[in-house]
Amino acid sequence: MRNLRVNGERLWASLMELAQIGATPKGGVCRLAASDLDGAARRLFIRWCEEAGCSVRIDAIGNIFAHRPGRDASLPPVMTGSHLDTQPTGGKFDGAYGVMAGLELVRTLNDFAYETEAPIEIVGWTNEEGSRFSPAMVGSGVFAGVFDLAEGLARPDNVTGVTLGAELERIGFAGPESVGGRPVAAYFEAHIEQGPILEAAQKPIGVVTGAQGQRWYEITVTGQEAHAGPTPMPRRRDALVGAARMIDAVNRIGNAHAPHACTTVGFVQVSPNSRNTIPGRVFFTVDFRHPEDAVLSAMDGELRQACRDAAAPIGLEVEVKEFWYFPSTPFDPDLVAAVRDAAEAQGYPHQDIISGAGHDAVYLARVAPTAMVFVPCVGGISHNEIEDAKPEDLTAGCNVLLNALLERAAVSSTGEIRAEART
Ligand SMILES: [Zn+2]
């Protein structure tokens, strides 16, 4: 029984009801991780899951797992979900969509009395946004063994210093289950694209083939401060002139590795930042992204060379410090194919796409076969109260999620495909 269809109106209604928890005057949502509002959203989600016949468990980092049994309890679950926390000026769909799509998928299976071989679990990961407690993706990161539990619980609120662990305790979500360390048959995550590509291409479905790698740098250029009037041009060691040439090189490196490279300088400090003093020191950051690690490595070499080339003629010193490295994550080819096939089978225009942002799926990919489904968001805008998505696209993404996931959940312990409706 292929091509089950979800109830798009029910999905939309749940998203809109959830968005009232932390609703902002501009139509967005502010629901910071482990806040009272996060607690309220979690309790609503759990109530809906229990009404849909799921049993709910909470682990020690507050991740929520709603379990729908399969025929074979010995099989590891097929998981789908995302996160319920938002940015301070977040939207209704980032994260919430993936969780509500998981819920809608289970409700649809109930409507059709559809049994699967493997159990299905809807998951809500703790603190994906990393806005109140950095870094991002802490719940999925502890689950996947990227951080240890104590490290995750000790993350401080970036304003008050209160820990994530204390706040989870306070809102009643420091659960009894141990975190991770159990097999997951597959993980699927539906998410808004948070970029402009699908909307521009007029495709409702993005088949996410992986997430790009990132390298972040901190660069310090040192010259010599001097008076802007009496110092002749040939004698200057102007750190800002050198930095400007390096920043231009960052942009050229991005263009040289089109179309997938993204290179950004987003933060610059000039010292002493005085209009009649030649700058003696410049500090700036570089953000490099590319889906292939080999290309990221090549870009790394080009950056270091460009910095040396810009510094030498002006007599500057330059220090290039790698601040953070996040390897590229290719998703599981079989699961990616299942997403593509589901879109194809239902007649939805689709295209392959690489995630420019981090998601819980990126950490899950370290411990389970993983894939994602993207749907367009209006104007490509996210992390903003005006974030919006079309109901028909959200429905399309949920239909693709359902049918891709069913392909996995239908596999019996002997590898044969057995799931079918009881009715
Ligand atoms: Zn998200």
Side-chain angles (χ1 to χ4, degrees), residues 82-83 85 93-96 128-129 189 191 194 358-360 383:
S82 193
H83 57 97
D85 67 317
F93 304 98
D94 176 4
E128 191 277 345
E129 292 291 355
E189 182 168 345
H191 207 283
Q194 303 181 287
H359 293 289
D360 294 308
H383 285 194

